[in-house]
Amino acid sequence: MRLKGKKVVCFVDAEFEDLELWYPVIRLREEGAEVHLAAPEAGKAYHGKYGVPAVADKAYAELSADDYDGVLVPGGWAPDKIRRYPEVLDILRQADTDQKPIGQICHAGWVLVSAGILKGKKVTSTPGIKDDMTNAGATWVDEPVVVDGHLVSSRRPPDLAPYARAFADKLAGE
Amino acid sequence: MRLKGKKVVCFVDAEFEDLELWYPVIRLREEGAEVHLAAPEAGKAYHGKYGVPAVADKAYAELSADDYDGVLVPGGWAPDKIRRYPEVLDILRQADTDQKPIGQICHAGWVLVSAGILKGKKVTSTPGIKDDMTNAGATWVDEPVVVDGHLVSSRRPPDLAPYARAFADKLAGE
Amino acid sequence: MRLKGKKVVCFVDAEFEDLELWYPVIRLREEGAEVHLAAPEAGKAYHGKYGVPAVADKAYAELSADDYDGVLVPGGWAPDKIRRYPEVLDILRQADTDQKPIGQICHAGWVLVSAGILKGKKVTSTPGIKDDMTNAGATWVDEPVVVDGHLVSSRRPPDLAPYARAFADKLAGE
Amino acid sequence: MRLKGKKVVCFVDAEFEDLELWYPVIRLREEGAEVHLAAPEAGKAYHGKYGVPAVADKAYAELSADDYDGVLVPGGWAPDKIRRYPEVLDILRQADTDQKPIGQICHAGWVLVSAGILKGKKVTSTPGIKDDMTNAGATWVDEPVVVDGHLVSSRRPPDLAPYARAFADKLAGE
Amino acid sequence: MRLKGKKVVCFVDAEFEDLELWYPVIRLREEGAEVHLAAPEAGKAYHGKYGVPAVADKAYAELSADDYDGVLVPGGWAPDKIRRYPEVLDILRQADTDQKPIGQICHAGWVLVSAGILKGKKVTSTPGIKDDMTNAGATWVDEPVVVDGHLVSSRRPPDLAPYARAFADKLAGE
Amino acid sequence: MRLKGKKVVCFVDAEFEDLELWYPVIRLREEGAEVHLAAPEAGKAYHGKYGVPAVADKAYAELSADDYDGVLVPGGWAPDKIRRYPEVLDILRQADTDQKPIGQICHAGWVLVSAGILKGKKVTSTPGIKDDMTNAGATWVDEPVVVDGHLVSSRRPPDLAPYARAFADKLAGE
């Protein structure tokens, strides 16, 4: 239980990629981490692209970056909505400043683009948003998982196993 | 019938925003323009976010930029797919070079970002992709319709009336 | 903006044909008309056959025929419900008496049948309800758009461009 | 098994009212009747408004009125399609001439309107099509089941029990 | 109307098999029986696997076994939920003790398994739960309808006609 | 990568519980195991209760128990179908005889009931099938994960983290 005592926040909104949200969340819980799902409204059920539900533990507005040791951003169409919340972007910027692990997969990169924390970073993502990532100042590579400092990125659902593992390792300080 | 003789291509893929695709297409036809729907596969029915169907007249691969006097890109999630086709990007780049009218609405801007034709242009779009537009070199303003040279852009479905009108005027050379 | 100052009411209920409702509404707004969506309940979202939403501006019960210069009836399955409201039929009858433009497309004709205003009129519609139109006293022809006095009728979605144009012309007094 | 040896054809198309199709069909089979589902294409599965499937035993084109002792027409939106097939209308007209039992429920009346066999008949139906029935020459009453000679009609799903019973009695010659 | 005066309760929960619920219910009403739909919550609409609605007349908690002359359990996935309610199991046990007719079809058998009333009984069901029925002490046979004392069982929708008839006969005391 | 070289088969059919299928599969792959999805038809996409797809690597008919070191059975409604395949039951029986790890979660227990391998075993499952498990000879307890020899069982999605970990440990021989 090497993640015992670690707290992670995962951002949620409608039409998240179902497995990209849930696999890393459950995986971190397996090693003892406490993972909160945060969304526009606490207590509400949001549904993934396929329909898997996720009930929000917290509202964006009640989050404090200091409470968390890491941040997860899922893929799907949810990032197109998540990136519009200043509270979310603030938390990502502070996590970036504090060099806490930030995990992004597939279309999640849009949220980091809006947070403005990709300049000079090496990342991957779905090829669909490669141009947005590059325009935001990142160097884009086509690999299952890319770890650049505290930033962990991945491409798509078939990469979930190494992605979640890499994020867990980073969170554990390994 | 001031658009008689004009030919326009509109790009299509699954999960287009239903009205953002169909309103401008029918509107241009009303004034005599011939509008082709082009998609990855000709003859196939693609469905919008709500489910309205659109059967492709042409495949991307059989398009020639010289055949058209204008280009339309709809919103929805389709642009995330459309931007991945080099043939589409080539046609947009040539239309841009030839200063032919290019219409984009809502999330359509992603395709123009990938075509690399937004540098120094004044545009609008859904606020959700404002950062991607800005990072691609555009100046973003929050107005129902923005016309900058041959580039006509708009924000979302409630702006469809002035958007289609502005594109028709541009196509008519007015 | 030749329709500036004109007011039009469009009847709505669940399972309207998505484009048959929205194309004429947006088209009239483009030329300056004020178009109200009226349904059984004001402020409620009704969804088309494919799922496109339409929020009602007005409830049937609060409508007054004198407030409007024209009436639109969309197709789909909604007409099967719309025709059951006496308030709707009253407004149609008064618009008919006042010779204000009335637009109907596809299955919309059922509502005019129930209003009893088709006797001696030349109309078109989806072929599916041809017999109901004929039994109500109309002469049915198979043309994209039929204009008989203040009555404008059309067959189906591919006829939307000339249909909306003909209704706009009639409303403009042309 | 008082219906042993009796053959009935029931018309089917997409979006039939699920119970209005299946209750009478199974009910007649219970008493020994052989009931065929006929649709535009034999062997194909059609789905009701809610999604219950019905696989067609016969295509309309291969039907012969002489083979059947009675005809059933279900409600839902299917009648709007069924009424467009001349083969269907021919069978209804011959059954009417031969005074064989014809059952209709809810919106099924549209098919009989198009067959032109309602003149002078007393019927019921969903109130939604009352005007179409009346315009076709019928006298419309608001009762759960109406039997006028060989014609058996009903209003909606809550009337299924007496409707199916009345049709079975008529088929049995009682 | 040989079932006049008879009262039957039919258990309902989400995802019942649409026809397996409704055919027997309407069939018994045809002969005069009063049939109540009972579910976890009275007045709420539950939907079948295909989507056909069923509004509950009664809540499980307000039922009294003495009020009914027979019990129906539909198939589908609903039995997986229905079997978890002690009130339902109590009613089944008392009906069994009182030798009142109990009808089960398809997956309904799970509820009788949980009520513990299958020991030594001859039954049928969907083949899918044959092992659960056998393990509960029943003798399983592959026949359209099986009547063992007051217990009437059936396999699947194509068996509905003889199943409902057999239950009605049993309820009538024939 | 302690599971390098281990091979596991996971049974699939329509309407599996989406996370109950995918979490353990990806989790085992993370540690190097090769996991095959097996279904009635190889190469076909099956969809979970919410709609997440799973393409079958193998058909049931081409499986050989000797090729695998462990077996996974997901929950949802899929087990109701999976339990009907003799090939599946044979593989489970042989894995049981060979004392290879067998994982079951939620409704998966039905498949083990039909394989007849629960006699004298301590297990858990969704409470919904507790009676079926008990009748099959098992002792049922209400705990997140139960390990009895080579048999690993769990209750529902919130238990996925410890369930997958327990199965991985067992597969690793720990």
Side-chain angles (χ1 to χ4, degrees), chain A residues 3-60:
Chain A
L3 301 181
K4 195 83 188 171
K6 299 286 185 184
K7 286 180 66 178
V8 173
V9 63
C10 175
F11 297 120
V12 180
D13 208 328
E15 293 202 69
F16 56 83
E17 211 288 337
D18 309 65
L19 296 177
E20 289 174 0
L21 176 84
W22 279 112
Y23 186 77
V25 167
I26 300 174
R27 183 63 185 81
L28 296 179
R29 285 175 178 164
E30 184 194 319
E31 299 207 58
E34 183 179 346
V35 187
H36 293 170
L37 303 183
E41 196 177 326
K44 185 179 157 185
Y46 293 82
H47 294 85
K49 284 174 62 175
Y50 293 109
V52 177
V55 177
D57 304 303
K58 302 278 178 184
Y60 291 156

Side-chain angles (χ1 to χ4, degrees), chain A residues 115-134:
Chain A
I117 59 174
L118 290 179
K119 191 164 234 121
K121 295 289 169 55
K122 190 172 153 197
V123 298
T124 192
S125 70
T126 166
I129 68 165
K130 174 186 172 182
D131 296 328
D132 302 327
M133 302 292 269
T134 302

Side-chain angles (χ1 to χ4, degrees), chain D residues 17-74:
Chain D
E17 212 288 337
D18 307 67
L19 296 177
E20 290 175 0
L21 175 83
W22 278 112
Y23 185 77
V25 167
I26 299 174
R27 184 62 185 81
L28 296 179
R29 286 175 177 163
E30 184 192 319
E31 297 207 59
E34 182 179 347
V35 187
H36 293 169
L37 302 182
E41 195 177 327
K44 185 178 156 184
Y46 294 82
H47 294 84
K49 283 174 62 174
Y50 294 110
V52 178
V55 177
D57 303 303
K58 302 279 179 184
Y60 291 156
E62 58 178 307
L63 296 178
S64 168
D66 292 340
D67 290 345
Y68 297 99
D69 303 295
V71 181
L72 282 173
V73 189

Side-chain angles (χ1 to χ4, degrees), chain D:
Chain D
M1 300 288 268
R2 62 180 172 154
L3 300 181
K4 195 86 190 171
K6 298 289 185 184
K7 286 180 68 177
V8 173
V9 63
C10 175
F11 297 120
V12 181
D13 208 327
E15 294 200 67
F16 54 83
E17 212 288 337
D18 307 67
L19 296 177
E20 290 175 0
L21 175 83
W22 278 112
Y23 185 77
V25 167
I26 299 174
R27 184 62 185 81
L28 296 179
R29 286 175 177 163
E30 184 192 319
E31 297 207 59
E34 182 179 347
V35 187
H36 293 169
L37 302 182
E41 195 177 327
K44 185 178 156 184
Y46 294 82
H47 294 84
K49 283 174 62 174
Y50 294 110
V52 178
V55 177
D57 303 303
K58 302 279 179 184
Y60 291 156
E62 58 178 307
L63 296 178
S64 168
D66 292 340
D67 290 345
Y68 297 99
D69 303 295
V71 181
L72 282 173
V73 189
W77 302 127
D80 180 71
K81 295 291 178 297
I82 295 170
R83 72 192 300 191
R84 305 178 193 207
Y85 290 83
E87 311 91 296
V88 165
L89 304 183
D90 283 347
I91 285 171
L92 278 167
R93 286 183 197 114
Q94 189 170 338
D96 183 57
T97 301
D98 299 346
Q99 307 218 32
K100 291 174 180 171
I102 298 174
Q104 60 168 315
I105 182 165
C106 210
H107 288 84
W110 282 330
V111 188
L112 283 79
V113 166
S114 288
I117 59 174
L118 290 178
K119 192 165 234 120
K121 294 290 170 52
K122 188 172 152 200
V123 297
T124 192
S125 70
T126 166
I129 69 167
K130 174 186 171 181
D131 297 326
D132 302 327
M133 303 292 269
T134 303
N135 286 344
T139 300
W140 193 92
V141 294
D142 190 11
E143 289 171 18
V145 188
V146 174
V147 180
D148 184 356
H150 56 287
L151 196 61
V152 181
S153 56
S154 189
R155 296 176 306 186
R156 54 177 81 91
D159 302 327
L160 277 167
Y163 168 61
R165 166 62 68 111
F167 186 85
D169 287 351
K170 181 61 65 178
L171 191 64
E174 291 167 17

Side-chain angles (χ1 to χ4, degrees), chain C residues 50 127 170:
Chain C
Y50 294 111
K170 182 60 67 179

